[in-house]
Structure formats: C-alpha cells, structure tokens
Amino acid sequence: MSEAFEGSGRLAAAFVNRGTSSFIDFLGAVNPDLLPGRREPFQGDSSRLTPEATTIVALTFPGGVVLAGDRRATSGNIIANRDMDKLFRTDEFSAVAIAGAAGIGIELAKLFQVELEHYEKMEGRSLSLEGKANRLSTMIRGNLAMAMQGFVVVPLLVGYDDSREEGRIFSYDAVGGRYEEHRYHSIGSGSVYARGALKKLYRDDLDEEGAAVAALQSLYDAADDDSATGGPDVYRKIFPLVDVITDDGHRRLPAEDVERLAESVVQGRSERPDGPTAPLR
Amino acid sequence: MPFYVSPEQIMKDKADYARKGIARGRSAVVLQYDGGILFVADNMSRTLHKISELYDRIAFAAVGRYNEFENLRLAGVRIADSTGYAYDRRDVTGQALANAYAQHLGTVFTESSKPWEVEIVVAEVGDSADTDQIYRITFDGSVVDERDFVAMGGSAERVTGALRERYDKDASLADALSAAMHALTHENGEQRELEAAGLEVAVLERAREHRKFRRIQGPRLNRLIEQVRGGGGGESEDGGESAEAGDDGAQS
C-alpha cells in the first residue's frame, strides 16, 4: 500500500480527490501493472500458457436465473484441473461465469467484482443490471490484444433485474459485443450439446430446482459429447457448481443438494443413456 | 514586522480550532452488541452519510466537516479495494486503514495552517466479540484502540457518560439502539426527542455472509425504534430482523 502515500505521509491526491467511481480507472492511474490487457503482447506460440475453461449454462425461471458450470479445465488433451470453479459471484444480484482462457478469465471476473462493489461504495447505490452488462463489455474489449494472441475469454453474465423483477442473461463475443439471451444460453466448447439439451428441456414454468436439474442434464450432455467438458465425478464426489439469483440475492446451491440432484441425473442415465426426451408433438 | 509564536501555541491554536469545528456538529456513537457492531449517528440527511461501508468487515463513521471526511471515506474505499484486489480479501484490515488515516491527519495537522475538522472511527467486526476492533482517529492523527463503545462529535464527553450508564456488551440490537439513542439525547445538555428521520443507523453483522455492513432504515428502523419505545426489550424481533431478506443494507 506504500503507493497510497506521498513522501510527506499524506495520502496521495489520487486517493483523496473526488475523481472517478470506477476502480479500473483508479487502478489505471495509480497501479496500471495490476490491470489485465495493459501488458505487452506475448511473442511466439502462447497457446499452452493457460488452460481452457469450458461449458457454462444459464437459464431463467420465473423470479430468477440459474447459472451452472462443469469443473474441468484442459490444456490441449490434458485435464489440467478437475474441480475448477468457473462461476463468480460479482455482487448481491449478479454473477459471471467464464469460458476460454482460464487464467485471464479468472482475473477479469475478479476485477469486475471489485469494479461493481467499488462503484456501489463510492456512489452509495449499485449500477443497474444494464450498467453492469455494459461495463463488462468494455472490459472484454480491453482484452482484445490478448484475444488476438489466442487468450480469448468469453464470459456469461446473469443477474436479477429488480426494475423488471426477472432474471436476465447476457452473452459476449471476444471483441466485447454484448447480446441479451432469452430463456437460456450456453457458452464453451460443449455449449452446442448443452444448448440442444436445454432447447428440449426448457419450459417457461420451471421452478428453481427444475431449472437446476435442466442445467445438470444439459451439462451431462455436453460432457457426454465434448471431451473438454467434465461430467459428474461420482467417485471423487466432484459435481457441477450451481448458482441461483432471485430477489433474495445470490446463493450457491449447497454441495449436498447438487450431489443429490446430480446423482438422480446419473441414475436416470443408467436407464436411458441419452437422457430424458421431449414429447414428439 | 517580525513576530514570534511558540510551537506550543501554534499547535494549541490549531487543536482548539479543530475541536470547535467538530463541536458544532451532532454526535455519533459506535458500540458492540450481541450480533456485531452498531453505528448510530444524529444525521438529518438521508443521502449525505456519516456512516459507510469500507470493506467486507469494515465500516467508517465520522463527524465534523462533511467534505473533509467524505474525502477520507473515498480514500479508505480505494485503499481497501486495491489491497483486496492485489492480495486477498482477508488482507484488508481495519488496523491498516486506521494507520493510513492517522498518517494523513497527523501530517495535515502538523504541516498545514488549517487542520481537518474531523473525528472518525474505523471498526472491523471479527469472528467473535473478542476480535472486534474499534479505532478512533482524531484530527491530529492520534489513534485510540477502543473497547465496547465510542462517542464522538458535539458533546462527546456527555454522550459517553450517558452511554456508559446503559451500555451492555451482550445487549440485543434493540437494546443497543436504545442505549445509543439515550446517549445521543444528551447532546449539549438539551433533552431532545430523537426521530427515525433524524437518525442514521447501520450495523456490521457478524453472522452475515460476504459483506457484513447493512443499513437499517425506513420501515425496519421504525419497527426497531417502536420496540425501543415499547420497553427496550424485544429479543424475539431480533431474529426476525436478520432473517428478513431483500433489502440489502450495502445497497442503500
């Protein structure tokens, strides 16, 4: 914290002056080295420098939104980590999940979390959900140079919008494009399979547990067909992580609840390996 | 015309000036209760706060000149957030923030002709009451590590005296608020009736997840004050208060 003081012992002007309510702008002024995206681009082949995080799914239900992620990180055809946490609570009413370059993604999620809290404390009120979504856009755009080097990070933002009293989902592309998704969405290498599953399982009247089960089913399908996505690991007791956001705020489903739901999904698959079916008509 | 003023006299004049400035404003109290730390300030404004969140477990209370302590608050949030981001959330401590404020105020006091007319408290709620920390920092940069309760502002001595009569470390939230309100009515010797609209109340709630700071305002504050008026008891309501979801204090 030494940079907080001027030589005399006073707090440096950047700390005391009214200035900005953005943590990123503040850090850019006093300690830019800590910010991602301001570094020299890497030279040469950097594709193996950070493992990849894969499938994330999100779906809304009346009164909230569910976000779930598998636990696998891969480096080429190596499993780099079996119990990775790709979901980040960013404030009371929002969460971010990452797919793509894991190292950069975690850093970005952490910075986004501080950014939201910092704004809230400085201004005495939180950003609107739209405001949060746009702020994340800018941050992804700031990572463009790294994305060009192969360190693409694609986040998925979910949140409870108290002005509309519903859960909302925002997806992003590598250049910071922001797209609102309706009902459900999935990102990562297994997302095509997960999205297919969600398309069949999604209903407008799901409750919280129903939405969580649909998320687990879709992650199972992603793991089934995508080698970079981890399925439920019943021997090591490693199951997907599931976050729920409602007007009560953000909550991570307790491990034992997820375990119970995941085991029922696995049990169902022992009878029907391809999972539940939707009615034909 | 050359003239001489002794350093003692200069310091004394500055201290008198700062004390007078602080004494013009109304008081604030910070006290421990059975669920954490309670902050109560005599404050007519609904938007210009004397009590604020600095970080997960740390809050800030101030009296004196608003623009000066607001600058200190902003600096505290910046120091806390940059430390937490660069290291870890657990590495942000009330003690480090108190030291930063003390450094700053001490330097301003000795080097500027006008000292800052502020008195602040930095409080950190621990895992148990024994590990709670309350630091009082005055305009000249001195820091006192307080136990149990602190009063600052207008007539701090009288308020402290009144608070001592009623203080109980194991009091419920309603009882602690009752003691705080009793103390604040002793401002300037006048016996005033305090209204919810003139009070700023917040807590650092030990049992809360993630961020412990929560403002108590609107209907919740009215209910709590009603309880205080209705005899000061109310263990039962206490549980109901914390279970109540939706209005997140950190939001307000």
Side-chain angles (χ1 to χ4, degrees), chain B residues 188-207:
Chain B
N188 303 324
E190 54 183 278
Q191 287 279 348
R192 299 183 306 121
E193 187 78 349
L194 289 168
E195 293 298 328
L199 282 181
E200 186 182 351
V201 181
V203 285
L204 280 172
E205 209 171 82
R206 207 186 312 284

Side-chain angles (χ1 to χ4, degrees), chain B residues 4 57 60 70-71 101 137 144 233 243:
Chain B
Y4 175 80
R57 313 171 142 264
F60 170 95
E70 174 66 2
N71 282 346
Y101 286 140
I137 303 123
V144 187

Side-chain angles (χ1 to χ4, degrees), chain A residues 234-256:
Chain A
V234 289
Y235 303 110
R236 295 191 183 84
K237 300 275 177 209
I238 301 170
F239 298 100
L241 293 174
V242 184
D243 287 359
V244 181
I245 306 174
T246 63
D247 64 348
D248 282 345
H250 174 283
R251 190 162 58 87
R252 170 153 293 179
L253 286 195
E256 52 281 10

Side-chain angles (χ1 to χ4, degrees), chain A residues 1 5 8-11 14-18 20 23 26-27 34 89 110 117-118 120-122 124 126 248, chain B residues 53-55 71 73 75 77-79 81-83 85 89 100 103-104 107 112 210-211 245 250-252:
Chain A
M1 226 165 37
F5 293 104
S8 62
R10 273 178 204 241
L11 286 163
F15 281 81
V16 189
N17 293 349
R18 175 70 245 190
T20 169
F23 180 70
F26 168 71
L27 204 58
L34 285 177
R89 173 195 190 274
K110 209 174 122 189
E117 260 176 32
H118 190 77
E120 186 186 321
K121 288 187 282 189
M122 298 300 260
S126 354
D248 282 345
Chain B
E53 175 189 18
L54 287 182
Y55 208 63
N71 282 346
R73 183 186 76 85
V77 171
R78 286 173 176 144
I79 292 169
D81 280 343
S82 15
T83 309
Y85 179 67
R89 299 192 81 90
Q103 279 279 332
H104 182 75
T107 311
S112 312
H210 305 295
R211 291 155 74 183
Q251 286 274 111
S252 46

